[in-house]
């Protein structure tokens, strides 16, 4: 049995904040203690209740201890092509992405990229992410092997794509079915790994491949499903040309039985009324990827409209269309997108989205996303005075809301003082810092 006690200012959410003064939506301990036993949180109390135990502890005051960040959508195989200069999604995919992802057929490449990628997640306070691998099964093996070694709860899957990409990247409907089936058997539920069946998007899958995906979803209700939906106008028109019988883009995935409460749909920017209704009815999750949407000029996510229709929402970086691994940077850009929509997102709601909100959208609340007994001790320790400019501003901060807003507006990996994965220190033990 291994016990660790942390002391610091503890913040965790219990429900979605409806306004900046919605104090019932979170628990905050100005001087709190977190007791961790064998990787799980067993108690969260004011320090006065823990001090009498007289045990050794790690003192993180004056920093904030929160649940580790959860990133709902990214491509680990694009780690070496972030910041590629392209005008829009389809040009970016053809010019850079489909070239870069071919490298994952080479022995050893996936392992070295996976290792660097996980270091970057930890550096930024992200303890769980949902990734697309490449179409090569070995990229999935490298991804989950690295997660297992680090004891991280990670989700992901092999991209299924059998057209409209270079031959070297394309699988076939049958091989993508066979490979995915084998990978689910190998990795789903091993360590903390969870598999996501991952047809890339309608453009790169033939009807035969979406049928294969449909069969996989029916045969593996334990697995997640992830794909892209309604990111960019040209993508939408091309998808409709390829699937002329579908009522709209969402209808393509709907017709192949790919929607449901474990389905994560990247982007969802330009949905019509029917599509929004279908996402709500099926419990599918619309994943907001702000830095990517701005970088590729894809459009402005309409959070309020989706919330009003009862659509579940996630927040993500979308590396490498996204431009930062940091969920703090992601919250900042998300705030700005919603400002342009006339939808002001308060900082409690932002931090909720990156923690408990995303855990709920993965149906993993109770396991991750909260500093609460029974949850894994996946934690981030945040310093809102990490840079001279932040310290200067922090001197005039008068409330927790102001501190959180400062963190999301100016913070990045430098604001992440420490990270715990299943109770073990993960950032300060990274090599090469
Ligand atoms: Zn993506």
């Amino acid at each position: 049995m291994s016990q660790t006690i942390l002391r610091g200012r503890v913040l965790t959410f219990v429900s979605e904040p409806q306004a900046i003064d919605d104090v019932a939506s979170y628990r905050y301990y100005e001087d709190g203690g977190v007791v961790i036993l064998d990787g799980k949180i067993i108690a969260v109390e004011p320090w006065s209740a823990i001090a009498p135990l007289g045990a050794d502890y790690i003192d993180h005051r004056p920093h904030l201890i929160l649940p580790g960040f959860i990133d709902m959508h990214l491509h680990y195989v694009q780690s070496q092509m972030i910041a590629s200069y392209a005008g829009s999604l389809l040009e970016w995919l053809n010019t850079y992405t489909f070239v870069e992802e071919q490298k994952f057929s080479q022995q050893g490449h996936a392992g070295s990229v996976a290792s660097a990628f996980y270091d970057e997640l930890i550096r930024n306070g992200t303890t769980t992410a949902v990734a697309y691998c490449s179409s090569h099964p070995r990229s999935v093996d490298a991804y989950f092997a690295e997660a297992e070694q680090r004891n991280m709860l990670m989700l992901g899957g092999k991209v299924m794509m059998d057209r409209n990409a270079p031959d070297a990247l394309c699988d076939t409907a049958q091989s993508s079915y066979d490979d995915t089936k084998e990978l689910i058997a190998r990795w789903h539920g091993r360590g903390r790994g969870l598999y996501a069946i991952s047809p890339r998007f309608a453009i790169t899958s033939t009807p035969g491949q979406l049928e294969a995906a449909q069969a996989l979803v029916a045969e593996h209700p334990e697995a997640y499903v992830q794909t892209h939906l309604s990111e960019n106008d040209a993508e939408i028109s091309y998808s409709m040309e390829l699937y002329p019988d579908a009522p709209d883009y969402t209808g393509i995935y709907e017709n192949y039985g790919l929607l449901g409460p474990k389905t994560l749909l990247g982007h969802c920017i330009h949905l019509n009324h029917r599509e929004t209704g279908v996402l709500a009815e099926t419990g599918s999750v619309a994943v907001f990827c702000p830095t990517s949407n701005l970088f590729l000029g894809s459009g402005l996510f309409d959070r309020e409209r989706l919330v009003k229709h009862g659509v579940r929402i996630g927040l993500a970086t979308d590396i490498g269309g996204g431009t930062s691994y940091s969920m703090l940077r992601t919250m900042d850009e998300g705030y700005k997108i919603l400002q342009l929509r006339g939808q002001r997102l308060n900082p409690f709601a932002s931090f909720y989205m990156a923690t408990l909100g995303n855990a709920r959208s993965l149906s993993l609340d109770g396991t991750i996303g909260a500093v609460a007994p029974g949850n894994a001790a996946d934690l981030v320790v945040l310093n809102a005075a990490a840079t001279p400019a932040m310290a200067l501003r922090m001197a005039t901060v008068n409330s927790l809301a102001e501190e959180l807003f400062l963190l999301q507006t100016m913070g990045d990996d430098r604001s992440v003082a420490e990270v715990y994965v299943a109770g073990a220190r993960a950032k300060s033990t990274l090599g090469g810092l």
Side-chain angles (χ1 to χ4, degrees):
M1 289 209 308
S2 120
Q3 180 180 280
T4 307
I5 300 177
L6 310 181
R7 183 177 186 182
R9 297 164 55 228
V10 179
L11 174 64
T12 189
F13 293 91
V14 293
S15 63
E16 181 165 5
Q18 298 302 316
I20 198 160
D21 58 357
D22 183 2
V23 294
S25 65
Y26 61 87
R27 303 279 175 270
Y28 173 60
Y29 303 89
E30 181 68 33
D31 186 4
V34 182
V35 184
I36 299 165
L37 185 67
D38 293 335
K40 281 201 171 169
I41 297 166
I42 57 165
V44 183
E45 304 279 352
W47 186 254
S48 57
I50 289 176
L53 302 176
D56 287 343
Y57 62 91
I58 301 168
D59 195 349
H60 283 299
R61 290 175 300 165
H63 302 333
L64 283 166
I65 301 173
L66 280 91
F69 295 134
I70 300 168
D71 187 338
M72 296 275 289
H73 176 130
L74 80 178
H75 302 253
Y76 101 86
V77 290
Q78 295 172 13
S79 298
Q80 290 189 295
M81 54 149 297
I82 299 166
S84 290
Y85 185 67
S88 65
L89 172 68
L90 299 180
E91 179 198 340
W92 177 84
L93 281 171
N94 289 315
T95 314
Y96 304 102
T97 314
F98 292 162
V99 177
E100 180 67 23
E101 293 191 7
Q102 290 180 49
K103 295 181 189 164
F104 286 78
S105 64
Q106 298 160 19
Q107 188 72 34
H109 183 70
S112 63
V113 173
S115 172
F117 165 80
Y118 277 85
D119 282 358
E120 213 48 52
L121 289 188
I122 292 300
R123 210 163 270 140
N124 284 281
T126 297
T127 50
T128 287
V130 191
Y132 291 74
C133 304
S134 72
S135 52
H136 315 97
R138 67 167 46 138
S139 74
V140 182
D141 290 335
Y143 174 80
F144 280 118
E146 192 71 29
E148 186 176 37
Q149 193 193 323
R150 296 176 190 241
N151 200 15
M152 288 172 72
L153 197 168
M154 297 290 288
L155 304 90
K158 173 204 131 62
V159 156
M160 303 168 70
M161 52 193 296
D162 66 348
R163 67 169 165 186
N164 289 322
D167 288 348
L169 213 50
C170 284
D171 50 23
T172 66
Q174 186 63 47
S175 74
S176 67
Y177 172 86
D178 295 341
D179 288 345
T180 299
K181 199 127 182 110
E182 207 175 297
L183 289 164
I184 292 172
R186 193 176 312 149
W187 294 112
H188 187 85
R190 174 159 154 190
R192 303 177 71 194
L194 297 170
Y195 199 87
I197 297 162
S198 309
R200 181 175 215 119
F201 65 162
I203 291 177
T204 49
S205 285
T206 59
Q209 184 163 63
L210 291 189
E211 275 173 28
Q214 179 172 26
L216 288 164
V217 171
E219 291 159 19
H220 295 281
E222 74 279 16
Y224 289 77
V225 180
Q226 63 177 348
T227 188
H228 296 82
L229 174 63
S230 201
E231 178 173 1
N232 153 302
D233 291 334
E235 171 218 16
I236 297 167
S237 325
Y238 192 19
S239 300
M240 297 320 297
E241 273 175 42
L242 294 170
Y243 289 92
D245 296 338
D248 42 47
Y249 195 168
T250 302
I252 301 172
Y253 300 138
E254 186 187 12
N255 287 346
Y256 289 96
L258 299 179
L259 303 180
K262 292 183 108 173
T263 298
L264 317 173
L265 300 161
H267 307 298
C268 298
I269 298 171
H270 310 282
L271 302 175
N272 67 32
H273 188 73
R274 194 200 80 86
E275 294 180 284
T276 313
V278 170
L279 294 196
E281 269 168 39
T282 56
S284 306
V285 179
V287 183
F288 180 21
C289 306
T291 70
S292 170
N293 298 160
L294 290 172
F295 181 70
L296 293 172
S298 301
L300 306 176
F301 186 82
D302 193 344
R303 177 176 179 272
E304 246 171 50
R305 178 166 161 260
L306 293 175
V307 167
K308 199 174 84 193
H309 286 89
V311 177
R312 299 162 77 208
I313 287 176
L315 181 68
T317 64
D318 192 26
I319 293 295
T323 52
S324 172
Y325 289 88
S326 169
M327 290 301 286
L328 295 172
R329 304 297 336 114
T330 301
M331 290 180 218
D332 180 42
E333 300 298 312
Y335 177 82
K336 292 171 187 169
I337 284 181
L338 296 175
Q339 282 282 74
L340 288 169
R341 280 268 186 204
Q343 303 174 11
R344 195 164 167 220
L345 190 67
N346 78 69
F348 288 107
S350 295
F351 277 83
Y352 164 84
M353 284 177 85
T355 58
L356 183 62
N358 277 352
R360 286 181 170 177
S361 293
L362 289 171
S363 308
L364 289 174
D365 44 315
T367 302
I368 55 171
V371 191
N375 277 246
D378 294 343
L379 305 165
V380 62
V381 181
L382 295 175
N383 175 10
T387 66
M390 291 180 79
L392 191 63
R393 173 64 175 95
M394 189 61 190
T396 66
V397 158
N398 289 315
S399 67
L400 179 60
E402 286 184 8
E403 183 179 354
L404 294 176
F405 197 57
L406 167 58
L407 272 166
Q408 77 171 58
T409 307
M410 296 183 78
D412 53 30
D413 58 310
R414 294 169 294 181
S415 304
V416 176
E418 185 56 284
V419 176
Y420 291 86
V421 171
R425 278 181 185 261
K427 181 160 179 175
S428 58
T429 54
L430 280 182
L433 280 180

